[in-house]
Amino acid sequence: MKVLGMIFLYVGLFMILVGVVYGFMTGFDEWAGFPALLVTGLMCLFLAYFLIFTARKIPEQPMDNYEGEIAEGAGEYGFYSPWSWWPFAIGVACMFVVLGAAIAWWVVLIAIPFAAAAVIGWVYEYSRGDHAH
């Protein structure tokens, strides 16, 4: 996690620097690339902060050992339900949110409740029904 945090930190600083240079080169008249570069750099800095902050609280991971072997990272990474349809529902709902942002805002207003319902369904999938824990 430390390595990923540093990578995102450097990429974020680079994107902000490139965004500022791009803004000066275009005279700050072009309002698509300049804000996009700055926001991309800001999102990278958010990820860098999260990864570096989290790396301080957890023990060193196999990916942080520069001399480690690939087999050290083997093991169970968690559980994913192979028969779940909720990720598909989230994908379809997010597709309509993005499509609505590009075409008409009223589509976004219709799609957001479906996206929220799909996320809630996925989170609580194992809290009810036959597979409840």
Side-chain angles (χ1 to χ4, degrees):
M1 291 186 100
K2 295 175 191 173
V3 174
L4 286 175
M6 295 309 291
I7 288 172
F8 276 111
L9 178 67
Y10 295 143
V11 169
L13 293 175
F14 175 76
M15 294 298 279
I16 289 175
L17 177 67
V18 168
V20 171
V21 170
Y22 183 82
F24 278 113
M25 291 181 71
T26 60
F28 296 98
D29 291 332
E30 198 271 318
W31 287 101
F34 170 66
L37 288 168
L38 291 182
V39 170
T40 302
L42 186 64
M43 287 188 287
C44 287
L45 292 178
F46 285 155
L47 281 170
Y49 172 75
F50 171 76
L51 291 170
I52 292 170
F53 184 75
T54 305
R56 290 182 185 160
K57 294 188 173 209
I58 61 173
E60 189 169 301
Q61 301 294 310
M63 69 184 93
D64 294 327
N65 184 4
Y66 292 116
E67 296 177 1
E69 296 289 329
I70 294 174
E72 292 178 17
E76 186 173 331
Y77 283 101
F79 176 75
Y80 182 79
S81 179
W83 58 83
S84 178
W85 283 87
W86 290 113
F88 179 72
I90 291 172
V92 169
C94 289
M95 177 194 68
F96 280 109
V97 169
V98 172
L99 185 68
I103 295 176
W105 284 101
W106 62 270
V107 177
V108 174
L109 297 176
I110 294 172
I112 285 178
F114 287 107
V119 169
I120 291 169
W122 197 16
V123 168
Y124 292 110
E125 181 174 19
Y126 287 103
S127 297
R128 56 185 161 70
D130 295 335
H131 304 291
H133 292 279

